Amino acid sequence: MIIELKNLFNDRDVTLKLDHTVDLTDYELGGTKPFTTPVKLIGCIKNTAGVVELNADMFISFDFDCDRCAEHFVKELIIPMEHTLVNELNNEDNDELLLVEDMTLDIDELALSDILLNLPMKFLCSDSCKGVCAGCGKNLNKENCICKKEIDPRFEALRALLDDSNS
Ligand SMILES: [Zn+2]
Ligand SMILES: [Zn+2]
């Protein structure tokens, strides 16, 4: 959706409410389509004493396979969208500023780039995910490893010593 910003730049103390859905269901990321339901974007664009700011939250269902245990999950993420919009740059440090040309903003495009910037590098079902055993292939969150433990003979000797001292 293209948002017309002329009024926002020209009139002070104007607020434009954003209640918008961004359909990214066809967007591919790493060979899958993780945004299975349209992203909800709620917030506003506000001109406060001449400064035009966009503040919104994006509500995302993210469909993924855990990088460690390969289980399939859907996680709800909230990604903030915060930008100061300008229609011209006057040598400012423009990292913070979003230049909108022709007083229009493609909110879908901006939403997608903000989402991609804020997605985690690794997708884990939980930070404490134990993953899959490389030996037996069991999902260690659900099952115990059934690999036969290789016993180091030095530990065997130690255990024998400990057993002796206990008896
Ligand atoms: Zn996992
Ligand atoms: Zn195992």
Side-chain angles (χ1 to χ4, degrees), residues 35-50:
F35 307 106
T36 49
T37 54
V39 172
K40 195 102 187 92
L41 189 158
I42 292 175
C44 63
I45 307 178
K46 216 190 248 182
N47 181 335
T48 312

Side-chain angles (χ1 to χ4, degrees), residues 66 68-70 73 124-126 129 141:
C66 174
R68 264 185 220 155
C69 68
F73 285 90
L124 299 177
C125 58
S126 86
C129 173
N141 299 311

